Amino acid sequence: MHSSSDRPPSALHSALVLWELTYHSIVRTLRKEHGNAVIGLALNVMQTVIFVGAFYFMFTVLGMKSSAIRGDFLLYIMSGIFLYMTHTKAMSAVASSEGPASPMMKHAPMNTVISISAAALTSLYIQVLSMAVVLGFYHIAMNPITIDDPIGAMAMVLLAWFSGVAVGMVLLAIRPWFPGFVKLMTTIYSRANMIASGKMFVANQLPGYMLAMFTWNPIFHIIDQSRGFVFINYNPHYSNTTYPLVVSLILIFIGLLGEFYTRRNASLSWQAKR
């Protein structure tokens, strides 16, 4: 006879344990960024404000306001910067999350799935909260804003986050093998997307030869589609949501395969000299 204590845990119990571990990992990740959560959020908000201010100044000095969408100019700038930062922050957070050779993996039942989920959800939480603070302050203190389709716009924020997680998964899978290369590629990808993301352009106004330089990039499609949801008088013709979603799913699949292979071959000696 087996006692009740010998019974394997139920699926519900396992799910609750997983969620509890993920929650504590999220709190740990938040605290790792800054000891004070409020100050950490304020720093992220300030970074967003500085980005918006810098691009507003650049558009004004270069006389590029006429190339923007008819409507609130600052909202046009923020619609690109918010999605760019959501994508980039998610990619960086996942790519730098705890790997299979991390000392944290010694503490059962901690695993890389929890670590990756915590890093991704922490990034999303901070970015959504920062967007809410910036938009709320702008709406109350400066100029009331109107978003044509808030649900569609929020869906594009989530798609930008998901695509960033997908890119980060691929980088995370190869990081234990080539840590220096992954660190360099993370920086290059973030800097290149300052231009390649298309947050400074409107796809409908680009000539054909320039569109070919940007349409390969999923975040370009996401930003252009988001402006179609934000502005009532803009209808994107040269982008779609299917392409970034399919590319993200493919990258997630590749990243999961790579992470599984890396985890099976993980060795603590990889980090001994680092």
Side-chain angles (χ1 to χ4, degrees):
M1 297 292 292
H2 295 281
S3 64
S4 59
S5 60
D6 295 331
R7 296 174 183 173
S10 65
L12 177 61
H13 179 266
S14 300
L16 290 175
V17 170
L18 179 63
W19 277 111
E20 183 181 7
L21 286 171
T22 304
Y23 168 76
H24 288 295
S25 297
I26 290 173
V27 174
R28 176 178 176 272
T29 305
L30 281 170
R31 293 292 183 182
K32 190 167 61 174
E33 294 292 331
H34 198 283
N36 190 308
V38 176
I39 295 178
L41 174 63
L43 291 175
N44 199 81
V45 170
M46 283 303 301
Q47 185 181 13
T48 304
V49 171
I50 290 171
F51 260 99
V52 173
F55 276 90
Y56 181 83
F57 177 77
M58 184 179 66
F59 271 76
T60 304
V61 170
L62 297 178
M64 296 172 62
K65 280 190 175 184
S66 59
S67 64
I69 300 171
R70 195 157 39 90
D72 192 319
F73 180 65
L74 268 179
L75 186 59
Y76 164 77
I77 294 178
M78 288 189 287
S79 65
I81 289 177
F82 286 161
L83 269 67
Y84 162 77
M85 291 190 67
T86 300
H87 177 84
T88 304
K89 294 280 189 179
M91 180 270 298
S92 300
V94 173
S96 60
S97 61
E98 305 282 355
S102 169
M104 279 296 294
M105 298 304 132
K106 294 180 180 179
H107 302 281
M110 181 66 178
N111 55 55
T112 52
V113 174
I114 296 174
S115 173
I116 294 168
S117 301
L121 292 173
T122 300
S123 170
L124 179 64
Y125 169 76
I126 293 176
Q127 290 307 124
V128 170
L129 205 54
S130 298
M131 284 190 293
V133 170
V134 173
L135 286 175
F137 177 81
Y138 179 67
H139 179 78
I140 295 171
M142 300 181 67
N143 185 38
I145 60 174
T146 301
I147 297 177
D148 181 49
D149 187 350
I151 297 177
M154 189 61 200
M156 292 302 100
V157 172
L158 295 176
L159 186 55
W161 168 77
F162 182 68
S163 62
V165 171
V167 176
M169 281 292 300
V170 176
L171 294 174
L172 176 66
I174 62 178
R175 191 185 71 189
W177 307 94
F178 309 103
F181 171 76
V182 169
K183 185 176 181 180
L184 179 63
M185 281 304 300
T186 302
T187 303
I188 292 175
Y189 182 81
S190 301
R191 300 296 182 267
N193 264 333
M194 291 285 290
I195 303 297
S197 63
K199 63 179 179 292
M200 298 187 297
F201 313 113
V202 180
N204 287 2
Q205 298 177 2
L206 289 179
Y209 73 93
M210 288 191 68
L211 273 173
M213 300 167 57
F214 298 99
T215 50
W216 61 270
N217 194 353
I219 192 64
F220 174 79
H221 290 259
I222 297 171
I223 289 176
D224 192 54
Q225 286 291 314
S226 74
R227 285 169 173 162
F229 291 114
V230 172
F231 296 96
I232 192 172
N233 52 12
Y234 181 69
N235 185 24
H237 297 296
Y238 303 107
S239 63
N240 59 76
T241 57
T242 304
Y243 174 74
L245 180 60
V246 170
V247 170
S248 299
L249 290 173
I250 292 173
L251 291 178
I252 284 283
F253 181 71
I254 294 173
L256 288 173
L257 287 177
E259 200 278 330
F260 174 75
Y261 179 80
T262 300
R263 188 169 69 247
R264 290 190 63 184
N265 294 274
S267 171
L268 293 177
S269 62
W270 281 348
Q271 295 184 345
K273 62 180 180 180
R274 300 184 186 106

